[in-house]
Amino acid sequence: MPELAEEALKVIQSYPEGVLQSELWKLLDIDSRKCSRVVKKLVDDERVERIEYRKDGIKTYVIKAKRPAVDPSLLLAGGELLPCICCEEECEVQVCPYLLDWIYQLAIEEFEE
């Protein structure tokens, strides 16, 4: 079932707005009971969320992938926070002096290690 759960997660992730559970089992070519078990495992592992949804009086669920938590260390270079986090400047990313300095610090840290 771990392989099926991974396959299901990939399918769910391909639908940014979520996929109906009643459609998911068809997309995975499995029966609805097996799909329910797979979704439960993904919910228990906190990889997806299950949101109640009613269509034409019939209850189903929208399954949406959760975004993994960002490793805070990825936002730091030289002990400094990624400048874009709280920046209010209108700029072009390719030529932003704040971002270029931050990337330079990251490169220096990598080189020194």
Side-chain angles (χ1 to χ4, degrees):
M1 182 133 94
E3 291 173 12
L4 183 56
E6 289 302 317
E7 181 184 349
L9 183 60
K10 286 179 185 174
V11 170
I12 294 164
Q13 289 171 332
S14 71
Y15 291 85
E17 300 301 314
V19 62
L20 294 177
Q21 185 168 331
S22 57
E23 293 296 317
L24 181 60
W25 62 272
K26 295 171 189 169
L27 293 168
L28 294 171
D29 195 27
I30 59 176
D31 63 58
S32 61
R33 288 179 87 185
K34 192 173 217 171
C35 184
S36 293
R37 289 192 299 272
V38 169
V39 168
K40 181 179 181 341
K41 177 172 179 17
L42 291 171
V43 168
D44 290 348
D45 292 346
E46 298 183 5
R47 298 176 80 188
V48 300
E49 60 184 324
R50 192 172 182 238
I51 305 156
E52 189 173 311
Y53 177 80
R54 290 192 181 272
K55 183 175 181 182
D56 301 327
I58 298 170
K59 183 172 100 172
T60 186
Y61 296 90
V62 173
I63 312 301
K64 291 179 84 172
K66 288 186 175 182
R67 291 187 178 176
V70 174
D71 177 358
S73 69
L74 297 176
L75 303 175
L76 295 171
E80 293 186 32
L81 186 64
L82 172 68
C84 304
I85 296 292
C86 57
C87 184
E88 295 180 4
E89 300 287 325
E90 295 290 326
C91 70
E92 292 183 39
V93 175
Q94 297 86 345
V95 294
C96 173
Y98 304 114
L99 185 57
L100 291 174
D101 286 345
W102 185 82
I103 292 171
Y104 181 69
Q105 278 294 330
L106 198 62
I108 290 173
E109 283 182 9
E110 186 71 27
F111 180 74
E112 289 175 349
E113 291 177 358

